[in-house]
Amino acid sequence: MQHSVGIIGAPFSKGQPKDGVECAPNKLRAAGLLERLQQQCAVKDYGNLTFENVALDEPVKGSKSVRTVGSANQRLSEAVKALKRDGHTAVMLGGDHSLAIGSIHGHTAAVGPVSVVWVDAHADIHTPLTSNTGNIHGQPMSYLLYELQSKPPLPNFSWMKPCLSSRDLVYIGLRDVDPEEYIMKLLAVKAFSMTQVDQLGVAKVMEETCDYLWDSKKPIHLSYDIDAIDPSVTPATGTPAVGGLTYREGIYITEYLCQTLLSAVDMVEVNPLRGRTEDDVHSTVSTAVDLLLGCFGRRREGNHLPDYSLPEP
């Protein structure tokens, strides 16, 4: 499948407390993401968004930086909507995972209902009333789901309306889920924890994921948190959790979804300042680049020009 990819950088970190994740969009570009993608498809880089840092952004109902996160996601939603209406597959380079609020909202505003594949160690389905930390990067799914729309009004979120049904969500890679987040069980959300990945194998997980989503034939939004991958491979991230996906399993997920109605991709939580060594940072960034390349047709056995012919003697 030939893609036209539009890239938006979202250098934003206020959904969580650790500096550095805002550096990731430029770090991914510096690692050759655009040049390597251009070998596979047409690419337009929309540059990095700029975000307002709201002064005196005091916690609201226990949630931190609410005004800043709300305004940033409104800006991102508008940018993703415009990119999709330009006809591209959207790639959002985060930033922390609170940005999925704006990315998925903007995607649905442009194309209508979507299905979401959320690849992550964490469910990120806390509400402002259940979160122990108040960090909104642990809450984005609760802002998106119709079934969880009854929550206290928050400043700078009046623009945000739920846009996703729990029936159209699949989790892959879960292994660090808080007790309060088992609300997803009450909603009957399809989820493959690392236990299921081990039991079934990643090929069966992806087959079941796509079979489950296929009936709706909705465009697919892949939201990929780098901490889904085991920290032995991607240590430069804010909330690592041992026992994650291998490099090969992580890549297979993207290769499989490349063959579907993939319409948008988030790559989030790469944090160059959290690596202890340059090798840690390099491994994390290069893996994130490889995951994105897998979304758009890179084959591990090598890509060959369709019109290649043997040289004349």
Side-chain angles (χ1 to χ4, degrees):
M1 184 184 299
Q2 189 71 304
H3 295 272
S4 172
V5 176
I7 294 177
I8 295 176
F12 184 78
S13 65
K14 298 301 183 181
Q16 51 82 62
K18 297 171 183 175
D19 290 338
V21 74
E22 72 279 1
C23 304
N26 287 345
K27 201 78 172 174
L28 292 167
R29 290 187 181 96
L33 172 63
L34 272 67
E35 294 80 5
R36 294 177 68 187
L37 267 179
Q38 285 166 346
Q39 296 172 16
Q40 300 172 198
C41 54
V43 179
K44 180 174 180 180
D45 188 357
Y46 286 73
N48 287 347
L49 298 175
T50 56
F51 300 112
E52 176 189 9
N53 194 11
V54 179
L56 302 175
D57 196 358
E58 297 297 323
V60 179
K61 307 291 185 184
S63 293
K64 300 171 184 174
S65 303
V66 169
R67 298 164 188 84
T68 304
V69 173
S71 65
N73 274 290
Q74 183 175 16
R75 174 82 182 90
L76 178 59
S77 175
E78 292 165 352
V80 170
K81 179 171 69 173
L83 183 156
K84 287 301 302 175
R85 288 182 173 171
D86 286 346
H88 303 294
T89 301
V91 172
M92 187 275 286
L93 306 178
D96 70 64
H97 217 164
S98 70
L99 293 165
I101 298 170
S103 181
I104 294 172
H105 183 274
H107 189 186
T108 62
V111 306
V114 302
S115 296
V116 172
V117 178
W118 193 276
V119 184
D120 200 330
H122 311 93
D124 295 347
I125 198 171
H126 270 293
T127 75
L129 301 177
T130 67
S131 173
N132 295 318
T133 67
N135 298 324
I136 299 182
H137 79 156
Q139 304 177 26
M141 191 50 66
S142 75
Y143 288 76
L144 294 162
L145 288 174
Y146 294 119
E147 293 87 347
L148 296 179
Q149 62 182 304
S150 57
K151 60 174 68 66
L154 297 172
N156 288 6
F157 273 95
S158 60
W159 60 274
M160 175 65 202
K161 301 294 185 288
C163 56
L164 179 68
S165 167
S166 60
R167 171 61 181 80
D168 295 323
L169 169 63
V170 178
Y171 284 110
I172 299 173
L174 297 178
R175 60 191 182 277
D176 186 11
V177 179
D178 292 333
E180 299 87 350
E181 293 183 291
Y182 279 95
I183 190 170
M184 65 184 186
K185 297 285 189 182
L186 301 177
L187 300 177
V189 173
K190 187 78 166 174
F192 296 95
S193 71
M194 284 308 302
T195 300
Q196 279 80 53
V197 174
D198 287 343
Q199 288 174 338
L200 300 172
V202 71
K204 185 64 173 175
V205 165
M206 294 313 299
E207 180 184 338
E208 290 192 13
T209 294
C210 290
D211 284 349
Y212 176 78
L213 297 176
W214 179 249
D215 285 345
S216 70
K217 294 185 172 56
K218 296 180 176 112
I220 290 177
H221 188 115
L222 170 62
S223 201
Y224 212 128
D225 188 321
I226 199 66
D227 72 23
I229 308 295
D230 191 80
S232 62
V233 180
T234 58
T237 188
T239 52
V242 297
L245 298 166
T246 65
Y247 173 88
R248 289 163 58 189
E249 289 169 335
I251 294 292
Y252 186 87
I253 289 168
T254 65
E255 290 173 337
Y256 202 100
L257 290 175
C258 175
Q259 304 169 61
T260 69
L261 301 173
L262 187 62
S263 182
V265 182
D266 307 327
M267 178 56 62
V268 298
E269 299 287 359
V270 173
N271 190 330
L273 297 187
R274 304 304 296 178
R276 296 181 180 178
T277 66
E278 279 301 312
D279 285 346
D280 283 356
V281 176
H282 174 75
S283 180
T284 306
V285 170
S286 64
T287 299
V289 169
D290 287 349
L291 292 169
L292 289 168
L293 294 174
C295 291
F296 299 105
R298 190 195 74 152
R299 296 187 179 94
R300 280 178 276 177
E301 68 270 25
N303 289 70
H304 308 288
L305 297 173
D307 57 351
Y308 177 79
S309 60
L310 291 171
E312 294 293 333

